[in-house]
Amino acid sequence: MSNTANPIWSILGAGAIGSLWGSYAQRSDQSTELIFRDRRSLAAYRQHGGINFTAGAKTELLNIAACCPETIKAPIQQLLITTKAQQTLTALQAIETHILPKASLVILQNGLGIAEQVQAQFPHANIYQASTTEGAYRPQPFAVVHAGRGQTLIGHANTKGLTPQLSSIAKALSFSPLAVSPNSNIKAVLWRKLAINCAINPLTAIYRCRNGELLDKPAALAQMSSVVNEILELSKALGLDQELADLHQQVIEVARATGNNRSSMLQDIEAGRETEIDAITGYLCQLATKQGLSLPCNQQLLDEVRRISPQNHH
Ligand SMILES: NC(=O)c1ccc[n+]([C@@H]2O[C@H](COP(=O)([O-])OP(=O)(O)OC[C@H]3O[C@@H](n4cnc5c(N)ncnc54)[C@H](OP(=O)(O)O)[C@@H]3O)[C@@H](O)[C@H]2O)c1
């Protein structure tokens, strides 16, 4: 059993990724605590008896320690944030008073723009950003399937470089077989990932197709190419173009390599859930506006995805 009195990591957002990290922590006997939204979801979790964790052919019920904002006992020193990007600030507000001023906050998400807002909310905290290509999904509530192996990189949100603290945080989050590697320029990693997501995810949501099927649709390919040109133009204005050499080629390769995948944006649309479009294409368009640039093709995809995902409010 875990030691619930003194959790090493609190996990905010017990969805696919949060449950994945929590499950491997539990399996390696590390103490973690899942923070649920409210008393109701905590009670439902307790009634379920834990997280049904599937990796390979094996499924087991893991009784990971859990709480909700009203039942948090110990002050939070280390927090892994695995909500969707647009859910982050609301989720953090609910537990704000429990977070120690100098806590370590790790944002493990797609999308950009959130870390700056978290830093403003917690000015003395050590903020880290992480990016993963591990694949996980929730077949039903309180269940997670580890569907694909990948890599996870972590870096300081505000500075470049490697530090002993970063190495120890990376090690502390490497619950076997998950391996988290320190990265000296995580913003560049996230920028590349954002660019690739902008070029693939909205189009899969609009055409309702798997990643690889975009390559067979001339209209989608033309839009993909315009999206990439606009991102390269913006990257140049921001001095980030060296991070994106070969972006055209890379996007095609990712669409091909993940050909059979249904993107998370497509899955969200089909399930009637809010998408992460605002932290992906929305963030890109906002940055462009600040630079005095317009990105008509990206803006069109942003408008279209917002239109077909009724739960994104503006
Ligand atoms: N899944 C993957 O394979 C994968 C891979 C790479 C990157 N990512 C990124 O990782 C991030 C998380 O993705 P995910 O797939 O794990 O999403 P997810 O399954 O939707 O998980 C998000 C979790 O956050 C919870 N949450 C939302 N608001 C909350 C609040 N106020 N308080 C407490 N919990 C709250 C949600 O609770 P409810 O269940 O109650 O809504 C849900 O359990 C995203 O940025 C995603 O793009 C995911």
Side-chain angles (χ1 to χ4, degrees), residues 58-135:
K58 191 174 169 202
T59 297
E60 56 191 314
L61 183 65
L62 298 175
N63 186 12
I64 305 168
C67 62
C68 67
E70 295 78 14
T71 67
I72 294 176
K73 288 196 187 76
I76 295 171
Q77 176 59 50
Q78 297 192 115
L79 183 68
L80 178 64
I81 301 168
T82 51
T83 58
K84 291 270 174 68
Q86 70 278 2
Q87 300 166 329
T88 312
L89 296 181
T90 310
L92 276 172
Q93 261 155 24
I95 60 167
E96 194 169 17
T97 54
H98 300 283
I99 298 177
L100 289 170
K102 294 196 171 163
S104 296
L105 309 181
V106 177
I107 305 170
L108 173 51
Q109 286 174 345
N110 280 334
L112 279 172
I114 301 295
E116 293 75 6
Q117 297 176 54
V118 174
Q119 186 74 78
Q121 199 176 349
F122 301 94
H124 304 293
N126 298 303
I127 316 265
Y128 302 86
Q129 278 179 288
S131 176
T132 190
T133 54
E134 298 284 354

Side-chain angles (χ1 to χ4, degrees), residues 97-205:
T97 54
H98 300 283
I99 298 177
L100 289 170
K102 294 196 171 163
S104 296
L105 309 181
V106 177
I107 305 170
L108 173 51
Q109 286 174 345
N110 280 334
L112 279 172
I114 301 295
E116 293 75 6
Q117 297 176 54
V118 174
Q119 186 74 78
Q121 199 176 349
F122 301 94
H124 304 293
N126 298 303
I127 316 265
Y128 302 86
Q129 278 179 288
S131 176
T132 190
T133 54
E134 298 284 354
Y137 67 93
R138 289 189 286 172
Q140 63 253 338
F142 313 122
V144 64
V145 176
H146 192 183
R149 287 309 318 274
Q151 291 178 331
T152 307
L153 301 174
I154 189 169
H156 289 285
N158 300 318
T159 54
K160 287 186 186 173
L162 300 171
T163 62
Q165 294 93 309
L166 178 62
S167 300
S168 83
I169 289 273
K171 196 165 164 225
L173 281 170
S174 296
F175 304 119
S176 174
L178 301 173
V180 180
S181 310
N183 185 278
S184 60
N185 191 358
I186 193 73
K187 279 277 193 283
V189 172
L190 291 165
W191 183 246
R192 201 177 314 120
K193 185 153 189 186
L194 184 89
I196 293 168
N197 282 341
C198 284
I200 295 179
N201 294 16
L203 288 168
T204 61

Side-chain angles (χ1 to χ4, degrees), residues 259-276:
N260 217 12
N261 288 12
R262 290 160 68 251
S263 76
S264 58
M265 200 169 285
L266 173 62
Q267 290 184 44
D268 286 340
I269 296 265
E270 288 187 340
R273 288 187 303 250
E274 202 180 354
T275 69
E276 289 187 293

Side-chain angles (χ1 to χ4, degrees), residues 231-295:
I231 296 173
L232 290 174
E233 190 192 343
L234 173 62
S235 301
K236 205 163 183 189
L238 294 167
L240 292 169
D241 46 330
Q242 68 282 9
E243 322 289 2
L244 296 183
D246 297 336
L247 184 61
H248 279 285
Q249 192 52 36
Q250 239 188 327
V251 165
I252 301 280
E253 275 166 21
V254 171
R256 193 171 289 138
T258 61
N260 217 12
N261 288 12
R262 290 160 68 251
S263 76
S264 58
M265 200 169 285
L266 173 62
Q267 290 184 44
D268 286 340
I269 296 265
E270 288 187 340
R273 288 187 303 250
E274 202 180 354
T275 69
E276 289 187 293
I277 191 74
D278 287 324
I280 297 177
T281 309
Y283 175 76
L284 193 83
C285 291
Q286 261 179 22
L287 267 187
T289 306
K290 282 189 198 147
Q291 294 294 317
L293 291 173
S294 74
L295 310 181

